[in-house]
Amino acid sequence: MDLSTKVILIVLFVFFATLSIFFIIDPNLISVYPGAGFTEETMYEWRLRTIIPSLYLTICYFIYRFFAGKKPTSTLWPIYIVITSFAITQFIAIFFMGITITQIFCFLVTIGTAVVLRLADLKRSRQIIGRF
């Protein structure tokens, strides 16, 4: 696995683990991401338009894969699908919420992460196929 892939996965793990712990303990503890420049209402709307729909899109995708008889190609595939669903919902939310520098930055980071994860998944898939 490339160093960039490892770094991105470690950063994602720490970020999501930290947020999940905070949201389990007290959902109102982080009402606005630090430095985002959002009001609480804007942050609430952003979460409703991006995070929850991306979860639902991911679930729909894996239900489709089950009925289609397809299996993920590597362990990175589910992570890639979650990040891609998040990028799609962020792109759509930009049209409904207006464009801010923070949203564009977050969207670009998400796209960059998705690209790195897709390349890592392709590399891992080739390694798996090469073993058989």
Side-chain angles (χ1 to χ4, degrees):
M1 197 178 305
D2 295 306
L3 180 62
S4 61
T5 305
K6 286 182 182 179
V7 168
I8 285 177
L9 288 174
I10 290 169
V11 168
L12 286 174
F13 180 85
V14 170
F15 177 74
F16 289 125
T18 303
L19 282 181
S20 65
I21 290 169
F22 280 134
F23 284 122
I24 288 170
I25 294 172
D26 185 7
N28 298 318
L29 190 60
I30 303 175
S31 58
V32 177
Y33 292 127
F38 289 156
T39 64
E40 286 190 32
E41 294 85 23
T42 307
M43 191 69 202
Y44 178 76
E45 181 182 358
W46 186 79
R47 282 186 190 136
L48 284 178
R49 290 187 186 266
T50 60
I51 295 173
I52 294 170
S54 68
L55 172 66
Y56 293 159
L57 279 175
T58 303
I59 292 168
C60 290
Y61 175 79
F62 282 106
I63 291 170
Y64 161 75
R65 297 268 305 188
F66 172 78
F67 285 118
K70 298 179 181 181
K71 296 179 184 169
T73 56
S74 77
T75 54
L76 291 173
W77 187 251
I79 301 167
Y80 166 72
I81 295 299
V82 168
I83 296 299
T84 302
S85 296
F86 186 52
I88 292 168
T89 57
Q90 280 181 315
F91 179 74
I92 294 169
I94 286 173
F95 294 107
F96 292 99
M97 294 185 61
I99 299 173
T100 64
I101 298 297
T102 305
Q103 284 178 308
I104 292 171
F105 178 73
C106 186
F107 179 67
L108 292 175
V109 168
T110 304
I111 293 294
T113 302
V115 168
V116 170
L117 288 173
R118 180 64 179 142
L119 294 174
D121 175 66
L122 287 172
K123 183 178 177 182
R124 182 69 178 132
S125 296
R126 285 187 212 117
Q127 289 173 349
I128 292 169
I129 292 172
R131 290 184 184 171
F132 295 107

